[in-house]
Amino acid sequence: MEKILIVGGGYAGFYTAWGLEKKLRRGEADVTLVDPHGYMTYQPFLPEVTAGSIEARHVMVSLRRHLRRTTVIAGHTTKIDHAHRTATVHTNDGALREIAYDTIVVTAGAVTRTFPVPGIEQEAIGLKHVEEAVAIRDALLTAFDRAALLPPGIERRRLLTVTVVGGGFTGVEVFGELLSLATALLRSYPELGRDDLAFHLVDSNKRILPEVTDEPGRWVVRHLQERGGRIHLGTQVVSAADGRIMLSTGESYGNGLLIWAAGNGSNPVVAKNTDLPVDERGLIRARADLRVGTDEAPVPDAWAAGDNAAVPDLASPVPGARTVPNAQHAVRQGKLLAKNLVADLRGRKVKPYLHHSLGVVATLGIGRGIFQYKRLVIKGFPAWIMHRGYHVLAVPTWERKVRVLLVWLSAVLFGRDIIPLSTVQAPRAAFLAGGDPFAGSGSGSGTGPTTAKAAPAPAAAATAALADAEAPAARPELSVVRDAG
């Protein structure tokens, strides 16, 4: 059988494998998908996960559950040697494995773009993975609990200061959602006031949301400012060390939560560890039919799609334009790629990728949003409804659609859940500290007085466990950035 290897299980990779399962005859090809996670993350919902509007697991689609005829390998692809038709995979159990293939599909996605700014590695959290979204939500909720114990002053305000770097859709959406959450939380924290909150959105460009035209972009800025947000355009973060933000304008302030959403960076395996052709941005060169290479020099048995591929945008009037890295293109490229792989396998003609934009829509918090399609612009509550309607239709599988709808319905009836789960990052702390409320009562097995007294320095052990959980090497928000792709 033809051996097809898919590198990456994001939008493009998942939809390619899903489409192949529907179209391939049994025995026609053997499909293997390599991804470090066992799920595809529906990234447009991540800002709502940070605000508690959607449960984290509901934005993830299990690969094994929905790809029954595909071999799923949990690991990172570290090298692609297309000349010898092999890929090196570092599996999640720590082993190195070499996988042979006949045809390769590179859909490894992109990673968060970072810059050599002091303090970023220690302080910032990205927003490409669900673990990061959960960490952001827990950090904000925990900050409210801590701030409520402090008197008014600099430290309380620092805890409730949030900085988002990046004025694209991800940055603006998470800024709007967190601002909405924080404002709503004040009703549950009578000790705190609106003046204790400080939300900063920083972008090096002179405008935000480059996908919309100028006037809607200016409206979004005014809207966020009216809600108390501070927008810093044409500004860069020059330092984030020691919990303090320093801007290129000279402004400096204490900061509690730093979210880095400054765009996409090229995937390391694509940019540095493959013999497939890449462009100056570190993206795989692809043709309109999603084959790797150019019209003059195609690469046999190699295909690419999604955020790691430079795919010509045939719908754009600009010569040489490439499709932008978003979910609309990745999903549709994955679907076409499955069709083209089957057509090529059967000796039929493949089709070029052509997609006209359906418009752009963004959430700015509960009940607030913006939508634009050509000259049509819709703002406020109708745009927010359109955002939720579009994405609940776009998220794959009916199971996930129903789960998301049920969570939204429960939020209408009961409000958002505001319980943080930050202690899940140190699950053994209570155990090491003897935190069982029945410890020492003499009941149960192994929890009597002797066991409790024998535990050496339980408070110190719990502190050490928490310190280990918060160390840079173990922080989920940092590890997932390094593992992206």
mmCIF file of all heavy atoms in Angstrom, residues 68-87:
data_model
loop_
_atom_site.group_PDB
_atom_site.id
_atom_site.type_symbol
_atom_site.label_atom_id
_atom_site.label_comp_id
_atom_site.label_asym_id
_atom_site.label_seq_id
_atom_site.Cartn_x
_atom_site.Cartn_y
_atom_site.Cartn_z
ATOM 1 N N ARG A 68 -10.244 6.632 12.971
ATOM 2 C CA ARG A 68 -10.213 5.207 13.337
ATOM 3 C C ARG A 68 -9.312 4.381 12.411
ATOM 4 O O ARG A 68 -8.822 3.331 12.810
ATOM 5 C CB ARG A 68 -11.635 4.636 13.307
ATOM 6 C CG ARG A 68 -12.601 5.318 14.272
ATOM 7 C CD ARG A 68 -12.199 5.078 15.710
ATOM 8 N NE ARG A 68 -13.099 5.698 16.664
ATOM 9 C CZ ARG A 68 -14.195 5.143 17.135
ATOM 10 N NH1 ARG A 68 -14.558 3.945 16.705
ATOM 11 N NH2 ARG A 68 -14.944 5.781 18.024
ATOM 12 N N ARG A 69 -9.094 4.841 11.184
ATOM 13 C CA ARG A 69 -8.295 4.072 10.225
ATOM 14 C C ARG A 69 -6.912 4.681 10.015
ATOM 15 O O ARG A 69 -6.187 4.278 9.102
ATOM 16 C CB ARG A 69 -9.046 3.994 8.896
ATOM 17 C CG ARG A 69 -10.353 3.208 8.972
ATOM 18 C CD ARG A 69 -11.191 3.411 7.723
ATOM 19 N NE ARG A 69 -10.467 3.116 6.503
ATOM 20 C CZ ARG A 69 -10.881 3.468 5.293
ATOM 21 N NH1 ARG A 69 -12.017 4.147 5.158
ATOM 22 N NH2 ARG A 69 -10.179 3.160 4.220
ATOM 23 N N THR A 70 -6.562 5.632 10.843
ATOM 24 C CA THR A 70 -5.266 6.298 10.748
ATOM 25 C C THR A 70 -4.403 5.892 11.937
ATOM 26 O O THR A 70 -4.880 5.847 13.074
ATOM 27 C CB THR A 70 -5.440 7.832 10.745
ATOM 28 O OG1 THR A 70 -6.226 8.205 9.607
ATOM 29 C CG2 THR A 70 -4.099 8.544 10.691
ATOM 30 N N THR A 71 -3.135 5.605 11.680
ATOM 31 C CA THR A 71 -2.196 5.330 12.763
ATOM 32 C C THR A 71 -1.733 6.659 13.343
ATOM 33 O O THR A 71 -1.131 7.477 12.640
ATOM 34 C CB THR A 71 -0.983 4.537 12.258
ATOM 35 O OG1 THR A 71 -1.433 3.300 11.697
ATOM 36 C CG2 THR A 71 -0.008 4.259 13.389
ATOM 37 N N VAL A 72 -2.035 6.889 14.611
ATOM 38 C CA VAL A 72 -1.667 8.143 15.276
ATOM 39 C C VAL A 72 -0.455 7.888 16.162
ATOM 40 O O VAL A 72 -0.485 7.022 17.038
ATOM 41 C CB VAL A 72 -2.835 8.703 16.106
ATOM 42 C CG1 VAL A 72 -2.407 9.982 16.832
ATOM 43 C CG2 VAL A 72 -4.045 8.980 15.215
ATOM 44 N N ILE A 73 0.614 8.643 15.928
ATOM 45 C CA ILE A 73 1.838 8.523 16.722
ATOM 46 C C ILE A 73 2.022 9.807 17.515
ATOM 47 O O ILE A 73 2.083 10.901 16.948
ATOM 48 C CB ILE A 73 3.070 8.280 15.821
ATOM 49 C CG1 ILE A 73 2.910 6.950 15.072
ATOM 50 C CG2 ILE A 73 4.355 8.294 16.639
ATOM 51 C CD1 ILE A 73 4.042 6.653 14.112
ATOM 52 N N ALA A 74 2.101 9.681 18.835
ATOM 53 C CA ALA A 74 2.271 10.845 19.708
ATOM 54 C C ALA A 74 3.749 11.199 19.794
ATOM 55 O O ALA A 74 4.538 10.475 20.416
ATOM 56 C CB ALA A 74 1.710 10.548 21.094
ATOM 57 N N GLY A 75 4.129 12.296 19.160
ATOM 58 C CA GLY A 75 5.519 12.710 19.183
ATOM 59 C C GLY A 75 5.768 13.904 18.293
ATOM 60 O O GLY A 75 4.883 14.374 17.574
ATOM 61 N N HIS A 76 7.001 14.419 18.349
ATOM 62 C CA HIS A 76 7.416 15.562 17.542
ATOM 63 C C HIS A 76 8.226 15.078 16.341
ATOM 64 O O HIS A 76 9.152 14.284 16.504
ATOM 65 C CB HIS A 76 8.305 16.513 18.341
ATOM 66 C CG HIS A 76 7.646 17.112 19.527
ATOM 67 N ND1 HIS A 76 7.526 16.453 20.726
ATOM 68 C CD2 HIS A 76 7.069 18.318 19.699
ATOM 69 C CE1 HIS A 76 6.913 17.233 21.603
ATOM 70 N NE2 HIS A 76 6.621 18.362 20.998
ATOM 71 N N THR A 77 7.896 15.569 15.197
ATOM 72 C CA THR A 77 8.732 15.320 14.030
ATOM 73 C C THR A 77 9.906 16.283 14.098
ATOM 74 O O THR A 77 9.732 17.505 14.100
ATOM 75 C CB THR A 77 7.951 15.532 12.729
ATOM 76 O OG1 THR A 77 6.807 14.658 12.719
ATOM 77 C CG2 THR A 77 8.815 15.227 11.519
ATOM 78 N N THR A 78 11.113 15.758 14.189
ATOM 79 C CA THR A 78 12.296 16.601 14.351
ATOM 80 C C THR A 78 13.082 16.778 13.059
ATOM 81 O O THR A 78 13.890 17.703 12.950
ATOM 82 C CB THR A 78 13.236 16.008 15.420
ATOM 83 O OG1 THR A 78 13.604 14.673 15.038
ATOM 84 C CG2 THR A 78 12.534 15.967 16.779
ATOM 85 N N LYS A 79 12.853 15.913 12.070
ATOM 86 C CA LYS A 79 13.582 16.033 10.812
ATOM 87 C C LYS A 79 12.808 15.351 9.701
ATOM 88 O O LYS A 79 12.214 14.292 9.911
ATOM 89 C CB LYS A 79 14.976 15.413 10.932
ATOM 90 C CG LYS A 79 15.835 15.553 9.671
ATOM 91 C CD LYS A 79 17.212 14.931 9.870
ATOM 92 C CE LYS A 79 18.060 15.061 8.605
ATOM 93 N NZ LYS A 79 19.400 14.430 8.766
ATOM 94 N N ILE A 80 12.816 15.972 8.524
ATOM 95 C CA ILE A 80 12.214 15.372 7.333
ATOM 96 C C ILE A 80 13.306 15.257 6.274
ATOM 97 O O ILE A 80 13.868 16.267 5.829
ATOM 98 C CB ILE A 80 11.050 16.220 6.790
ATOM 99 C CG1 ILE A 80 9.930 16.321 7.827
ATOM 100 C CG2 ILE A 80 10.513 15.632 5.487
ATOM 101 C CD1 ILE A 80 8.831 17.297 7.448
ATOM 102 N N ASP A 81 13.627 14.036 5.899
ATOM 103 C CA ASP A 81 14.621 13.767 4.845
ATOM 104 C C ASP A 81 13.868 13.220 3.639
ATOM 105 O O ASP A 81 13.736 12.008 3.473
ATOM 106 C CB ASP A 81 15.655 12.770 5.366
ATOM 107 C CG ASP A 81 16.769 12.499 4.356
ATOM 108 O OD1 ASP A 81 16.716 13.081 3.248
ATOM 109 O OD2 ASP A 81 17.672 11.705 4.663
ATOM 110 N N HIS A 82 13.376 14.152 2.816
ATOM 111 C CA HIS A 82 12.519 13.712 1.712
ATOM 112 C C HIS A 82 13.313 12.976 0.641
ATOM 113 O O HIS A 82 12.752 12.143 -0.071
ATOM 114 C CB HIS A 82 11.800 14.915 1.104
ATOM 115 C CG HIS A 82 10.724 14.530 0.139
ATOM 116 N ND1 HIS A 82 9.623 13.789 0.521
ATOM 117 C CD2 HIS A 82 10.575 14.755 -1.203
ATOM 118 C CE1 HIS A 82 8.826 13.590 -0.524
ATOM 119 N NE2 HIS A 82 9.396 14.155 -1.587
ATOM 120 N N ALA A 83 14.591 13.267 0.523
ATOM 121 C CA ALA A 83 15.398 12.574 -0.480
ATOM 122 C C ALA A 83 15.402 11.074 -0.231
ATOM 123 O O ALA A 83 15.455 10.272 -1.174
ATOM 124 C CB ALA A 83 16.824 13.123 -0.467
ATOM 125 N N HIS A 84 15.333 10.684 1.050
ATOM 126 C CA HIS A 84 15.321 9.262 1.400
ATOM 127 C C HIS A 84 13.945 8.802 1.895
ATOM 128 O O HIS A 84 13.808 7.675 2.377
ATOM 129 C CB HIS A 84 16.372 8.981 2.471
ATOM 130 C CG HIS A 84 17.776 9.234 2.018
ATOM 131 N ND1 HIS A 84 18.404 10.457 2.189
ATOM 132 C CD2 HIS A 84 18.669 8.436 1.373
ATOM 133 C CE1 HIS A 84 19.628 10.396 1.688
ATOM 134 N NE2 HIS A 84 19.814 9.186 1.185
ATOM 135 N N ARG A 85 12.954 9.698 1.790
ATOM 136 C CA ARG A 85 11.572 9.393 2.179
ATOM 137 C C ARG A 85 11.488 8.872 3.622
ATOM 138 O O ARG A 85 10.843 7.866 3.909
ATOM 139 C CB ARG A 85 10.941 8.356 1.229
ATOM 140 C CG ARG A 85 10.893 8.761 -0.242
ATOM 141 C CD ARG A 85 10.063 10.008 -0.465
ATOM 142 N NE ARG A 85 9.730 10.228 -1.859
ATOM 143 C CZ ARG A 85 10.492 10.903 -2.732
ATOM 144 N NH1 ARG A 85 11.645 11.420 -2.323
ATOM 145 N NH2 ARG A 85 10.119 11.062 -3.985
ATOM 146 N N THR A 86 12.141 9.589 4.528
ATOM 147 C CA THR A 86 12.075 9.226 5.941
ATOM 148 C C THR A 86 11.855 10.473 6.784
ATOM 149 O O THR A 86 12.254 11.581 6.414
ATOM 150 C CB THR A 86 13.372 8.534 6.422
ATOM 151 O OG1 THR A 86 14.481 9.418 6.232
ATOM 152 C CG2 THR A 86 13.604 7.226 5.692
ATOM 153 N N ALA A 87 11.233 10.284 7.931
ATOM 154 C CA ALA A 87 11.037 11.357 8.913
ATOM 155 C C ALA A 87 11.471 10.836 10.280
ATOM 156 O O ALA A 87 11.158 9.699 10.647
ATOM 157 C CB ALA A 87 9.585 11.803 8.950
#
